[in-house]
Amino acid sequence: MPAFSFLAPCSGRMLESSHHPSHLVRSQWLGYTTCIDISGNQVLAPSTAKVDYISPAGNFIHLVSPQQGRIMLLLGAHELAIKLPALQPHVRAGDTVEQGTALLSVNQTQLRQQANAYNLMAVILQPNAEFDKLTLRTSGAVTALESELVIQKDVA
C-alpha cells in the first residue's frame, strides 16, 4: 500500500471539529474529523475516487478512494434537500474523479450570507488501513491540494 497522504480539498483556515454545529461531527462519530473555514471558491477531489453520493444541495459529498478509504465533505450543519444558490456541484453520484477535479464551486459572498455556518466544512476520513493513532491538522492555514492534513499516523 502506498504511503498514506491526505491533502486539503479546499483552501482556508483549519479548526478543530469541536467548532462544528453538528454533534456527529463534533464527537468524531463518523470518523477522523477536522474542519476548514473555506476561503476559496473551489472544493477539489483530494484523491482519485468514486463519487458515492452527493446531496441535492451539493453540500455533502461522499467519496470512496482506493488509496484513502471513505472521504466525506460536509459543508454546513446537515445535508440539505434543496439547492443552495451559493453552491454549484460539478459531479454526480457514480462519477469517477481524479485528484484535483473540481467537485464544487462556492460563491463566497452568497455563502457567508447563509445561516448554519455553511462556510465551515467538515472533512471526515474513514481510512482503509487501521491506525493506532491518526491525527488530522486542526489549526493553521491550508491550501487546496498543497497542504497535508495528516500530522501523525501510526499503523497498527
Side-chain angles (χ1 to χ4, degrees):
M1 170 183 266
F4 187 84
S5 175
F6 190 68
L7 300 175
C10 56
S11 297
R13 184 174 58 94
M14 300 298 303
L15 296 169
E16 293 183 12
S17 59
S18 62
H19 288 87
H20 201 275
S22 167
H23 176 70
L24 290 176
V25 172
R26 284 192 313 270
S27 66
Q28 298 201 23
W29 188 80
L30 298 172
Y32 299 97
T33 307
T34 192
C35 293
I36 302 174
D37 183 2
I38 296 177
S39 62
N41 62 0
Q42 293 284 312
V43 175
L44 307 174
S47 88
T48 299
K50 180 179 178 183
V51 179
D52 191 51
Y53 175 77
I54 183 166
S55 68
N59 69 319
F60 178 72
I61 303 171
H62 179 228
L63 304 167
V64 179
S65 165
Q67 286 79 29
Q68 277 83 22
R70 294 181 184 276
I71 303 165
M72 291 173 271
L73 307 173
L74 175 61
L75 188 57
H78 50 78
E79 179 187 334
L80 296 177
I82 58 169
K83 179 88 175 98
L84 291 173
L87 306 179
Q88 177 63 51
H90 298 296
V91 296
R92 291 184 283 186
D95 289 353
T96 298
V97 295
E98 298 294 321
Q99 183 180 46
T101 300
L103 300 175
L104 186 66
S105 290
V106 179
N107 180 317
Q108 282 291 334
T109 302
Q110 289 180 334
L111 187 68
R112 299 285 173 174
Q113 294 171 353
Q114 300 287 324
N116 295 326
Y118 285 115
N119 58 310
L120 190 58
M121 174 175 282
V123 179
I124 304 163
L125 182 59
Q126 296 174 345
N128 284 336
E130 288 294 322
F131 293 93
D132 286 334
K133 183 166 187 156
L134 184 123
T135 305
L136 299 180
R137 286 182 61 178
T138 58
S139 63
V142 291
T143 303
L145 297 186
E146 292 180 18
S147 301
E148 176 78 41
L149 291 188
V150 175
I151 59 170
Q152 181 179 343
K153 59 185 179 284
D154 294 321
V155 179

